[in-house]
């Protein structure tokens, strides 16, 4: 048997990437799952690498004076809001520092001092979308197991971190408005009262699979219930009864017989109400209000209010003139493109999900915007000299790729297009720094603005303004 390595009475120094914390033992770095800077702990090492260790705290000798009381009863078990025990101000400092660290470590370029991070006005109930999973294999606490009693194993909630098959039953989640808690709990109770089988994620048996709840600042709501087969006699009474209990704008279900819960490739049955909900956004704090339609498959920034602040920054950095052609890369449902359109000659949005492009076009016409165009396809294949010849060479490029960052071929093309400004929005400062390194020969970093879209998580958004050298 391998010998257990335990480091005793170690002081946790700081927050590290991916929500971990960090300590140093004999000049070696230890990344720790859990804890807070200032805690004195014993750490059990779970992984030994050449230049660092990974571990978990097993004994807390003293707790950091900076700690605060977490507000959620699920804290510690749920993987959701792991930083509730840290004051929000401190979370924001850590996030800003994370951006700077990534830029220093990965980026081989000069950059100015990062602006102060823009915190989220709402620290709780800020999400407009949550996804819950049904399971007949509920996560049991040690206390529950110790009772030795026969326990109800059905759950509707979130995955236990690192466990695809174990679900934590959620009673109250502080991430989405309370209608979400009420709907979820009602559906679980109805299913239990009516003995509708919860899904088993290992052997793929059972009926109720997954529940997505979307809400908007306009007070509208949408549910998408995923079930494992075509049984109208089960799903219809459930959704009818739900419709009597709650005022839900859009009630939908999906029959999913696949092994996974993605439903982009499946038909969505609009059972009651509209096929979409609406979100509104003020443009740059003006009276100009945009309305966006959000369908069951549409992407929309998850923190609606903070998205408005994020787009304001994009607009400010982009500094678009009325004669400018703008490209909005990774446009999703065209929200940024439509948001900045009033300043530009025209904006072209590029995105590979055709349904999102269709939504983007609907959103443009809904808001009487006639100077946006949207093109569906992989940007790596779309962005070419033929494309710029056809659509006009852009003066400004806005890019908002997923966590993986931009494909090297796209970065190469940006070097050839030579737009005078690039505004790079990213949810992963590591890949952002990597991409900017590749652009360094042609572009200079002018501004760095970290933004917090997700309080109590380690995630950070960062907006960078690049100017052609
Ligand atoms: C972070 S989201 C962008 C969100 C959008 N800018 C907004 O604010 O609503 C990234 C988008 O890039 C799209 N995407 C990812 N890789 C792509 C690629 N290679 N070509 C085109 N679109 C891609 C995804 O479908 C997703 O909609």
């Amino acid at each position: 048997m391998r010998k257990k390595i335990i480091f005793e009475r170690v002081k946790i120094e700081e927050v590290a990437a991916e929500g971990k914390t960090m300590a140093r033992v004999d000049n070696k770095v230890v990344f720790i799952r859990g804890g807070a800077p200032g805690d004195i702990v014993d750490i059990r090492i779970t992984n030994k690498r050449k230049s660092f260790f990974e571990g978990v705290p097993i004994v807390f000798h003293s707790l950091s004076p900076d700690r605060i009381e977490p507000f959620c009863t699920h804290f510690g078990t749920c993987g959701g809001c792991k930083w509730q025990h840290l004051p929000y101000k401190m979370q924001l400092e850590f996030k800003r520092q994370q951006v700077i660290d990534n830029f220093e470590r990965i980026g081989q370029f000069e950059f100015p001092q990062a602006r102060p991070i823009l915190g989220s006005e709402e620290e709780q109930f800020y999400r407009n979308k949550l996804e819950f999973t049904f399971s007949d294999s509920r996560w049991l606490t040690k206390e529950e197991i110790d009772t030795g009693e026969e326990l109800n194993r059905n759950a509707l909630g979130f995955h236990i971190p690192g466990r695809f098959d174990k679900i934590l039953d959620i009673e109250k989640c502080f991430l989405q408005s309370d209608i979400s808690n009420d709907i979820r709990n009602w559906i679980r109770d109805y299913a239990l009262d009516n003995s509708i089988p919860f899904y088993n994620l290992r052997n793929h048996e059972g009926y109720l699979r997954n529940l997505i709840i979307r809400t908007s600042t306009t007070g509208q709501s949408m549910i998408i219930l995923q079930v494992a087969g075509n049984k109208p006699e089960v799903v219809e009474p459930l959704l009818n009864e739900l419709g009597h209990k709650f005022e839900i704008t859009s009630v939908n279900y999906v029959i999913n017989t696949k092994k996974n819960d993605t439903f982009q490739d499946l038909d969505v049955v609009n059972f009651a109400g509209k096929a979409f909900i609406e979100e509104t956004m003020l443009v740059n704090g003006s009276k100009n209000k945009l309305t966006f339609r959000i369908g069951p498959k549409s992407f929309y920034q998850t923190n609606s209010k903070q998205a408005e602040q994020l787009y304001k920054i994009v607009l400010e950095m982009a500094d678009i003139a009325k004669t400018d052609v703008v490209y909005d890369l990774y446009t999703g449902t065209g929200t940024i493109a439509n948001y900045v359109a009033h300043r530009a000659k025209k904006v072209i949005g590029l995105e590979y999900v055709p349904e999102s492009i269709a939504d983007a076009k609907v959103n443009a016409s809904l808001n009487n915007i006639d100077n946006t165009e949207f093109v569906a396809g992989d940007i790596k294949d779309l962005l070419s000299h033929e494309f710029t010849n056809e659509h006009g060479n852009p003066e400004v490029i806005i890019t908002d790729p997923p966590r993986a960052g931009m494909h090297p071929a796209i970065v190469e093309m940006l070097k050839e297009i030579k737009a005078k400004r690039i505004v790079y929005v990213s949810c992963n400062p590591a890949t952002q720094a990597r991409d900017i390194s590749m652009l360094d020969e042609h572009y200079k970093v002018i501004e760095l603005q970290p933004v917090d879209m997700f309080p109590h998580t380690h995630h950070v958004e960062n907006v960078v303004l690049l100017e052609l050298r």
Side-chain angles (χ1 to χ4, degrees), residues 69-254:
E69 196 56 39
F71 47 80
C72 176
T73 52
H74 302 298
F75 177 77
T77 322
C78 176
C81 312
K82 286 189 183 150
W83 280 8
Q84 279 175 49
H85 59 314
L86 303 174
Y88 187 50
K89 206 164 162 267
M90 195 181 243
Q91 296 178 22
L92 291 176
E93 279 311 309
F94 288 141
K95 291 188 191 211
R96 180 171 178 270
Q97 195 55 44
Q98 222 182 92
V99 171
I100 297 167
D101 289 348
N102 275 293
F103 272 56
E104 280 175 351
R105 194 166 45 86
I106 301 165
Q108 302 298 312
F109 50 80
E110 279 179 30
F111 61 92
Q113 196 179 30
R115 292 182 188 174
I117 183 166
L118 188 74
S120 172
E121 193 186 305
E122 291 173 326
E123 293 171 32
Q124 295 178 351
F125 308 110
Y126 56 79
R127 285 185 68 102
N128 55 33
K129 183 181 170 192
L130 280 181
E131 181 163 350
F132 304 101
T133 304
F134 290 88
S135 167
D136 69 353
S137 183
R138 182 168 69 87
W139 179 257
L140 300 176
T141 60
K142 189 171 173 311
E143 295 75 42
E144 279 181 305
I145 295 168
D146 289 347
T147 62
E149 286 169 17
E150 183 73 14
L151 296 162
N152 164 31
R153 298 297 304 268
N154 290 311
L156 175 54
F158 297 130
H159 284 269
I160 290 288
R163 292 295 300 263
F164 82 94
D165 60 333
K166 290 282 184 230
I167 299 297
L168 177 69
D169 199 45
I170 297 290
E171 198 43 47
K172 175 159 174 122
C173 175
F174 286 79
L175 284 173
Q176 192 175 25
S177 62
D178 257 334
I179 176 104
S180 165
N181 285 312
D182 295 343
I183 292 172
R184 183 198 59 249
N185 290 346
W186 185 88
I187 291 180
R188 180 185 43 234
D189 291 348
Y190 178 97
L192 291 173
D193 290 348
N194 291 276
S195 307
I196 308 176
F198 287 37
Y199 202 65
N200 183 295
L201 295 154
R202 272 187 184 273
N203 61 23
H204 300 282
E205 284 169 3
Y207 187 66
L208 296 171
R209 290 189 67 150
N210 178 290
L211 172 70
I212 293 172
I213 303 179
R214 300 186 85 150
T215 45
S216 77
T217 59
T218 57
Q220 299 182 16
S221 55
M222 166 185 282
I223 72 133
I224 307 146
L225 180 69
Q226 288 199 57
V227 292
N230 189 11
K231 289 187 188 168
E233 71 283 8
V234 180
V235 76
E236 289 187 3
L238 187 165
L239 295 179
N240 273 326
E241 191 69 22
L242 180 74
H244 291 138
K245 290 277 167 204
F246 301 93
E247 232 176 85
I248 301 175
T249 319
S250 173
V251 178
N252 310 276
Y253 72 91
V254 175

Side-chain angles (χ1 to χ4, degrees), residues 299-301 307 310-311 328-336 350-353 356 377-380 382 398-403 405 407 410 425 427 461:
F299 175 88
Y300 194 82
Q301 292 278 351
L310 179 73
Y311 294 168
D328 179 28
L329 308 184
Y330 309 89
T331 194
T333 44
T335 324
I336 295 182
L350 287 78
E351 157 68 44
Y352 67 19
V353 177
S356 295
D378 191 326
I379 297 169
K380 167 168 71 61
L382 287 179
I398 298 164
T399 182
D400 183 8
R403 288 189 66 74
H407 189 282
I410 300 175
V425 184
C427 54
E461 199 87 4

